[in-house]
Amino acid sequence: DLGSAVVLHCQSQMILAGESGSLCTLISEVLPTARRMVVDLAGVLSVDSRALGELVLTQMWAEAAGYSLKFSSPSYPVRRLFESTNLISVFDVYASVDDAIAALQQEEAQSA
C-alpha cells in the first residue's frame, strides 16, 4: 500500500533556476498534504547550481516539517553532481522509484 505517497516524474532534461522554482513550489504545495513524496529524476540530465541550492532548501524544509522526500533514478551526470558536491548525503537518493517507495514503506512500518 503506497498510502498517500506521491510520485513526481520530472519531464525536463535540465533543471535550471527558473524551473527549479516551480519544481520546489510544486513539492512544497503537495508535500504538506501527501507527507511522503518521491521525485523521479530519470529524465533529468543536468541541474544548475541555483536549482541545486533550491532543492537543498526544499529538502531541509521537508525534513524540518517531518515530511519524507526521496529522489529516485538520477541519471549518471546528476548522480555525479550530487556526489561531487557531497549532496548525496543531504538528499535521500534511490536507484529506482520502487526502491524509494520501499524505503518510504519501511519508514512507515518503523514509525507505526
Side-chain angles (χ1 to χ4, degrees):
D1 172 32
L2 216 92
S4 59
V6 170
V7 178
L8 180 66
H9 300 279
C10 294
Q11 298 297 316
S12 181
Q13 287 191 339
M14 298 188 318
I15 300 178
L16 307 172
E19 294 164 348
S20 70
S22 47
L23 173 62
C24 294
T25 300
L26 185 60
I27 292 170
S28 64
E29 286 174 355
V30 173
L31 204 49
T33 307
R35 305 194 62 77
R36 304 182 308 154
M37 179 182 281
V38 176
V39 178
D40 178 9
L41 299 172
V44 178
L45 300 179
S46 72
V47 180
D48 80 6
S49 58
R50 254 185 65 209
L52 200 56
E54 290 172 8
L55 286 172
V56 168
L57 291 174
T58 302
Q59 176 73 45
M60 292 167 60
W61 162 81
E63 282 178 18
Y67 304 135
S68 233
L69 180 60
K70 313 273 186 224
F71 292 87
S72 75
S73 319
S75 63
Y76 180 73
V78 171
R79 184 165 194 78
R80 290 239 6 229
L81 175 68
F82 285 175
E83 288 168 350
S84 67
T85 55
N86 279 329
L87 291 175
I88 202 84
S89 61
V90 173
F91 296 123
D92 253 344
V93 182
Y94 294 86
S96 69
V97 171
D98 288 344
D99 288 351
I101 289 171
L104 285 172
Q105 290 171 331
Q106 195 171 353
E107 281 177 9
E108 187 84 356
Q110 289 171 350
S111 66

